[in-house]
Amino acid sequence: MKKENSIMSRRQALKGMGTTVATLVVAPAIGTEANVSTNRNINVLENPVDKYPQPPYPKQKQPHPGLASKMDPLPDHGEKSYKGSGRLTGRKALITGGDSGIGRAAAIAYAREGADVVINYLPAEEPDAKEVIALIKEAGRKAVAVPGDITDKNFCKELVERTVAELGGLDLLVNNAGYQKSNPSILDISDDSFDATMKTNIYALFWITKAALPHLPAGSSIIATASVQAYDPGENLFDYAQTKAANVAYVKSLAKQLGPKGIRVNGVAPGPVWTALQVCGGQEQDKLENFGGDSPLQRAGQPAELASIFVQLADNGASFSTGQIYGAAGGGGHP
Ligand code: NAD
Ligand code: MG
């Protein structure tokens, strides 16, 4: 959060202002935080095409799992913008991969909507996690950090038990953590890498869900983060795409199983979103430069742009929605 204004450079802010907005916003403050919040307060229309940085993005590489706080430009997780309205008051949420990216955006939104939140992440991500914990506390909610590796079956059980003990229950489970490694050919995928992808993206959901189920009361919501890769697999994401298709099947099958118990199960299928996953080997460097550039909105999405979807799927108001996959891909992909 050190460089929050870098998410929208002055050049991009200027480029991004439609004429109407530009007349409402007085220079020289264009692109500053105060200015952006003024826009939000008066609910000015925002053009999604130039709302956020557009390609080309700077090439950059971090070792896995990477830190959102080291990305350029910094992702927007809604730190400055998400405003709650009590939609999840009193809810008890567990979010895997809640330190950064899409999971962090969900964690911030959930807390501001009134939920207590446990986040799980890998120990190397502690600096990102600390920022999220502080933001949840700032929202006046209970925040619990449970670092650990979800490819370990025993840890998955501990994670759920710890959540239930700390929050006094669990009614909102977000299986969001994921591992993505780009490989040009199936011949480049080692058994270890294949195993890590399967364990993180499929086994962990199985283990965490089994541990959580006995604790989930009727009215609970389970949400899985799938991907457009489930529907249109990229040639370089052979193993990852299969796991994301598995996540869709997880949602569709489990929703049928748990519907009669009053537990809803839904998924989110993002397209290209500007997160650490992509700069830690999830994407080739040449593809990173134009990440999302081919979509109708001509840019990568930001995690903050998915937060309201995770809120909606968790909310009691969505009580007839289960077994659904909600897409957010800038106009391309499926569903
Ligand atoms: P991210 O790197 O910010 O989040 C992924 C998180 O997964 C990490 O922060 C890490 O805490 C967690 N994780 C990975 N391996 C783990 C392990 N072994 N144990 C515990 N935690 C582990 O990136 P993101 O893009 O926000 O990813 C969130 C989800 O979104 C993933 O499931 C990913 O597949 C999915 N997704 C992302 C995109 C995209 O373009 N960014 C597109 C479609 C789907
Ligand atoms: Mg992370």
Side-chain angles (χ1 to χ4, degrees), residues 65-66 99-100 125 128 276:
D99 60 302
S100 61
E125 297 171 300
D128 274 359

Side-chain angles (χ1 to χ4, degrees), residues 68 70 114 202 205 248 255:
K70 287 192 175 163
I202 300 181
L205 278 71
V248 170

Side-chain angles (χ1 to χ4, degrees), residues 48 53 91 114 136 144 151 167 178 183 205 220 230 302:
R91 295 290 292 270
I136 297 169
V144 183
T151 64
L167 302 188
N183 286 291
L205 278 71
S220 295
Q302 294 291 330

Side-chain angles (χ1 to χ4, degrees), residues 121-314:
Y121 50 91
L122 286 163
E125 297 171 300
E126 195 61 41
D128 274 359
K130 279 204 168 98
E131 294 183 356
V132 181
I133 293 295
L135 288 161
I136 297 169
K137 286 183 178 163
E138 265 171 40
R141 305 310 309 184
K142 184 163 187 178
V144 183
V146 185
D149 189 338
I150 57 170
T151 64
D152 175 343
K153 178 180 176 174
N154 290 331
F155 173 73
C156 288
K157 279 192 201 159
E158 282 167 34
L159 172 61
V160 171
E161 296 312 323
R162 177 92 192 275
T163 300
V164 171
E166 294 272 6
L167 302 188
L170 173 64
D171 57 45
L172 178 45
L173 170 62
V174 181
N175 281 306
N176 165 76
Y179 178 65
Q180 174 182 325
K181 169 88 173 62
S182 170
N183 286 291
S185 162
I186 184 174
L187 300 176
D188 299 319
I189 305 174
S190 68
D191 283 359
D192 283 350
S193 181
F194 188 83
D195 201 49
T197 308
M198 298 296 148
K199 287 263 165 56
T200 314
N201 300 359
I202 300 181
Y203 277 68
L205 278 71
F206 173 61
W207 291 327
I208 291 170
T209 308
K210 272 179 90 172
L213 201 50
H215 301 286
L216 298 180
S220 295
S221 180
I222 299 175
I223 301 169
T225 308
S227 169
V228 288
Q229 287 293 323
Y231 302 89
D232 186 13
E235 69 283 0
N236 61 324
L237 294 173
F238 173 77
D239 52 350
Y240 173 83
Q242 292 181 60
T243 66
K244 292 292 140 177
N247 294 161
V248 170
Y250 162 102
V251 166
K252 301 267 178 198
S253 171
L254 204 58
K256 288 178 182 147
Q257 213 179 98
L258 302 185
K261 296 185 195 303
I263 298 170
R264 296 182 299 110
V265 187
N266 292 289
V268 180
V273 183
W274 189 247
T275 68
L277 182 98
Q278 303 295 352
V279 302
C280 298
Q283 212 60 239
E284 304 298 332
Q285 287 292 311
D286 55 335
K287 290 200 176 173
L288 197 63
E289 269 190 305
N290 188 39
F291 194 49
D294 295 333
S295 71
L297 295 184
Q298 300 162 34
R299 62 170 174 85
Q302 294 291 330
E305 298 180 281
L306 280 75
S308 64
I309 300 170
F310 283 82
V311 170
Q312 170 66 10
L313 294 176

Side-chain angles (χ1 to χ4, degrees), residues 44-79:
V44 169
L45 287 178
E46 294 172 320
N47 183 341
V49 174
D50 46 29
K51 181 175 173 182
Y52 283 112
Q54 297 160 314
Y57 302 110
K59 289 185 180 179
Q60 57 204 282
K61 196 156 177 48
Q62 293 186 42
H64 176 77
L67 292 174
S69 47
K70 287 192 175 163
M71 289 178 68
D72 175 25
L74 284 177
D76 180 6
H77 307 92
E79 288 90 343

